[in-house]
């Protein structure tokens, strides 16, 4: 991991902490619109990044078309998320639960793959995935109490930010071929 990537990881983690603190201090109607805006912009940035990466490099790689397809799908998620501004809160919470559950399941699968193939921080990935999935279940249990579900989402965001900051400080190993 380069110095720029470490600094970027720390800054993103700090922004996530600030965002979570804002959600905890003011859990109102504006909080849901703020979540939608952040999710939509994040998905759009990731989708556009994948599409640009495809046209600059990935089209010459094996499996490069998958990066283009991922970019288009993520960009579609961004547009869908942005269109959720006028729907009731329960649908927004269900969408957030789906995102948390999916990312938790993916993180658990990545940790299992890392355990099988490479020595590395698979335990941290596994704990991150399990906690993400548990937060999705907790949000599902407290879905009728929208402020409680928003608080649970904020706690998950704080946990993700701390994990991102800690992984920015972790030493990365690299293979040197001589």
């Amino acid at each position: 991991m380069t110095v720029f990537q470490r600094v970027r990881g720390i800054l993103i983690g700090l922004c996530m902490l600030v965002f979570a603190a804002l959600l905890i201090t003011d859990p109102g109607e504006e909080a849901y619109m703020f979540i939608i805006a952040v999710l939509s912009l994040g998905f759009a940035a990731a989708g556009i990044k994948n599409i640009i990466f495809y046209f600059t490099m990935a089209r010459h790689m094996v499996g490069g078309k998958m990066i283009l397809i991922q970019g288009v799908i993520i960009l579609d998620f961004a547009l869908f998320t942005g269109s959720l501004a006028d729907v009731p809160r329960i649908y927004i919470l269900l969408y957030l639960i789906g995102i948390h559950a999916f990312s938790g399941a993916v993180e658990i699968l990545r940790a299992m793959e890392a355990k099988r193939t490479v020595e590395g921080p698979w335990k941290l990935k596994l704990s991150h995935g399990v906690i993400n999935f548990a937060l999705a279940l907790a949000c599902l249990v407290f879905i009728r109490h929208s402020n409680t579900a928003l608080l649970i989402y904020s706690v998950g965001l704080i946990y993700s930010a701390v994990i991102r900051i800690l992984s920015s400080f972790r030493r990365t190993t690299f293979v040197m071929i001589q």
Side-chain angles (χ1 to χ4, degrees):
M1 188 180 284
T2 65
V3 174
F4 176 73
Q5 289 172 333
R6 290 181 194 274
V7 170
R8 186 182 68 182
I10 292 168
L11 288 177
I12 290 173
L14 291 174
C15 288
M16 289 169 67
L17 286 174
V18 169
F19 179 62
L22 286 173
L23 290 178
I24 290 173
T25 57
D26 186 25
E29 186 66 34
E30 299 86 25
Y32 287 98
M33 294 305 124
F34 199 56
I35 288 174
I36 288 173
V38 168
L39 282 175
S40 182
L41 289 174
F43 280 147
I48 291 170
K49 184 184 93 168
N50 279 357
I51 292 170
I52 289 173
F53 178 66
Y54 170 77
F55 284 114
T56 56
M57 277 184 90
R59 66 181 169 176
H60 304 294
M61 297 170 28
V62 174
K65 286 187 181 179
M66 285 302 295
I67 294 173
L68 176 66
I69 293 169
Q70 285 175 347
V72 170
I73 290 173
I74 291 172
L75 197 57
D76 286 342
F77 272 118
L79 295 173
F80 176 72
T81 304
S83 70
L84 290 177
D86 296 329
V87 298
R89 284 189 198 183
I90 190 126
Y91 296 120
I92 298 169
L93 287 174
L94 286 172
Y95 186 67
L96 290 175
I97 289 168
I99 289 173
H100 263 289
F102 182 73
S103 67
V106 166
E107 198 71 27
I108 290 170
L109 291 174
R110 282 183 180 169
M112 292 300 163
E113 182 182 1
K115 181 181 178 186
R116 275 194 322 256
T117 59
V118 185
E119 293 293 322
W122 66 270
K123 292 178 185 176
L124 188 62
K125 285 184 181 185
L126 182 67
S127 69
H128 187 233
V130 167
I131 289 177
N132 228 355
F133 200 75
L135 285 171
L137 289 177
C139 279
L140 190 60
V141 169
F142 295 110
I143 197 163
R144 296 275 182 221
H145 310 286
S146 61
N147 287 341
T148 306
L150 193 60
L151 182 66
I152 292 170
Y153 178 74
S154 300
V155 168
L157 199 59
I158 290 170
Y159 180 75
S160 294
V162 169
I163 292 296
R164 184 180 290 264
I165 291 171
L166 287 178
S167 64
S168 294
F169 284 115
R170 178 179 303 126
R171 275 201 145 140
T172 55
T173 59
F174 60 92
V175 177
M176 182 180 247
I177 301 172
Q178 295 181 344

